[in-house]
Amino acid sequence: GIQVEQSPPDLILQEGANSTLRCNFSDSVNNLQWFHQNPWGQLINLFYIPSGTKQNGRLSATTVATERYSLLYISSSQTTDSGVYFCAVERALNDMRFGAGTRLTVKP
Amino acid sequence: DTAVSQTPKYLVTQMGNDKSIKCEQNLGHDTMYWYKQDSKKFLKIMFSYNNKELIINETVPNRFSPKSPDKAHLNLHINSLELGDSAVYFCASSSSASYPRNTIYFGEGSWLTVV
């Protein structure tokens, strides 16, 4: 099956810093999404981004499908950005596979 | 209104018991999923259903049996619970027909602890 690798596994930032999270995948995909899981366990969809670039406030994401990677940028990080960020890809219909996540801690 | 709702939110039960987790979505989606999240936060797909038809059954022990009575519901029944079944179980839904296709919406999770 498809492999999804996220890096770094852990990231600690000072409030106000910027960061880049990476997701590599082993095969072509139909669909790629980024999720944030907050410290209370809630999973929120951040981006649907099988290709191209999108921005939403301080967050933006870029997927280069031909090179099989996606990047999530967080600018001016806040403590509320803490949690785990997951990349998920869909190769076969209705089969969404998740990476192991990047655990982000933003310190005040 | 909660878009994807799961019950119960917390469940503590003894080994060997049988339990069910219910999931309902009011988004009009045609696809529903069960994911298991272990203590290391890894999210593993267990099942996906499209229009009540089983699409993905990911090498899950047959003690786990999903049931989809209609497109809005996907329940998970677990027989003979084992310690290793302790995890957070997430229900999710998506639409394979509309754009953006299969954008996933998660329920709040069901914390299962087997003692």
Side-chain angles (χ1 to χ4, degrees):
Chain A
I2 192 166
Q3 304 300 313
V4 184
E5 295 181 356
Q6 293 188 240
S7 59
D10 293 281
L11 186 58
I12 301 174
L13 298 175
Q14 209 64 36
E15 200 168 26
N18 302 328
S19 61
T20 301
L21 283 56
R22 187 176 179 102
C23 172
N24 292 333
F25 42 98
S26 60
D27 211 336
S28 59
V29 298
N30 304 315
N31 184 345
L32 186 145
Q33 298 175 38
W34 282 96
F35 294 84
H36 175 226
Q37 186 169 37
N38 66 23
W40 297 271
Q42 190 179 17
L43 279 156
I44 302 296
N45 194 302
L46 298 175
F47 293 103
Y48 168 90
I49 187 159
S51 63
T53 297
K54 287 187 179 178
Q55 180 151 8
N56 185 359
R58 295 181 296 103
L59 301 182
S60 64
T62 295
T63 297
V64 183
T66 52
E67 297 187 23
R68 299 180 187 166
Y69 72 88
S70 183
L71 302 173
L72 178 69
Y73 305 96
I74 305 174
S75 64
S76 304
S77 57
Q78 300 176 358
T79 56
T80 52
D81 295 331
S82 294
V84 184
Y85 289 82
F86 291 101
C87 165
V89 301
E90 181 186 36
R91 172 155 174 78
L93 188 61
N94 302 320
D95 184 2
M96 193 74 71
R97 303 280 167 150
F98 282 71
T102 291
R103 188 185 302 265
L104 175 65
T105 303
V106 181
K107 296 188 171 182
Chain B
D1 273 353
T2 304
V4 182
S5 58
Q6 305 178 219
T7 54
K9 188 174 175 72
Y10 299 101
L11 184 56
V12 180
T13 188
Q14 290 189 324
M15 280 175 52
N17 283 351
D18 303 340
K19 291 294 177 186
S20 292
I21 307 172
K22 295 186 176 181
C23 180
E24 176 182 5
Q25 54 94 4
N26 63 5
L27 297 167
H29 288 166
D30 59 359
T31 304
M32 295 186 73
Y33 310 80
W34 279 109
Y35 283 87
K36 179 181 180 180
Q37 187 172 45
D38 61 23
S39 57
K40 295 183 179 178
K41 298 290 190 181
F42 187 65
L43 272 163
K44 180 176 164 57
I45 190 167
M46 300 173 70
F47 304 102
S48 74
Y49 273 73
N50 179 265
N51 287 315
K52 301 195 303 173
E53 181 182 342
L54 180 65
I55 303 297
I56 298 292
N57 182 346
E58 186 64 11
T59 59
V60 176
N62 57 16
R63 298 183 296 103
F64 290 78
S65 53
K67 284 190 171 48
S68 182
D70 54 55
K71 287 197 303 183
H73 295 84
L74 180 61
N75 303 322
L76 183 65
H77 188 76
I78 315 171
N79 289 327
S80 303
L81 279 155
E82 301 177 355
L83 293 177
D85 297 332
S86 296
V88 184
Y89 292 85
F90 283 96
C91 177
S93 73
S94 67
S95 171
S96 62
S98 61
Y99 184 85
R101 192 177 59 80
N102 278 345
T103 299
I104 289 192
Y105 294 83
F106 279 93
E108 294 188 340
S110 295
W111 271 253
L112 172 65
T113 302
V114 182
V115 297

